[in-house]
């Protein structure tokens, strides 16, 4: 979205659009878990649920930039890669 369209719409409309987008994402994508065997995973059910949601949020951020056509390589970068972008790596997500 270019800056002119942002200015024309105003903050409240943009905020509303973002809230609606995130609400829709969580409605469609959230995963609920229960009764995690803490002795096997060494995490509580709440910690495991939070980790899953954190990863779903990262997928949302990476794929949203690709205009629904796949996960861009920059979504695979991080501290371990020291900012390297994988020019030859190809990743895609499909909807079921």
């Amino acid at each position: 979205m270019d800056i002119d369209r942002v200015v024309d719409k105003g903050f409240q409309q943009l905020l509303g659009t973002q809230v609606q987008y995130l609400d829709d994402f969580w409605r469609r994508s959230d995963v609920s878990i229960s009764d995690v065997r803490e002795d096997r995973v060494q995490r509580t059910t709440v910690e495991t649920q939070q980790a899953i949601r954190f990863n779903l949020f990262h997928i949302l951020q990476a794929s949203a930039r690709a205009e629904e056509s796949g996960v861009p390589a920059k979504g695979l970068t991080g501290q371990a890669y020291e900012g390297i972008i994988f020019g030859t790596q190809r990743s895609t997500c499909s909807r079921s």
Side-chain angles (χ1 to χ4, degrees):
M1 181 177 292
D2 61 45
I3 194 72
D4 292 331
R5 288 184 10 208
V6 171
V7 170
D8 289 344
K9 286 187 175 193
F11 178 77
Q12 290 302 319
Q13 184 175 356
L14 291 171
L15 177 62
T17 301
Q18 182 68 18
V19 167
Q20 182 179 359
Y21 178 78
L22 288 170
D23 286 347
D24 183 53
F25 170 77
W26 289 115
R27 181 185 51 76
R28 291 180 293 113
S29 305
D30 196 16
V31 176
S32 295
I33 62 168
S34 60
D35 303 324
V36 170
R37 289 194 47 194
E38 295 176 20
D39 59 315
R40 296 184 75 192
V41 297
Q42 300 177 352
R43 298 284 183 259
T44 66
T45 299
V46 171
E47 290 171 324
T48 304
Q49 180 72 61
Q50 185 177 22
I52 290 170
R53 287 179 174 155
F54 182 72
N55 283 285
L56 287 169
F57 182 71
H58 275 261
I59 292 169
L60 168 68
Q61 286 186 315
S63 62
R65 295 182 190 131
E67 299 175 359
E68 299 182 14
S69 62
V71 179
K74 63 186 168 187
L76 301 174
T77 61
Q79 289 182 347
Y81 304 111
E82 298 177 349
I84 296 169
I85 298 199
F86 299 99
T88 59
Q89 179 69 29
R90 182 176 168 157
S91 299
T92 58
C93 293
S94 62
R95 296 181 187 197
S96 3

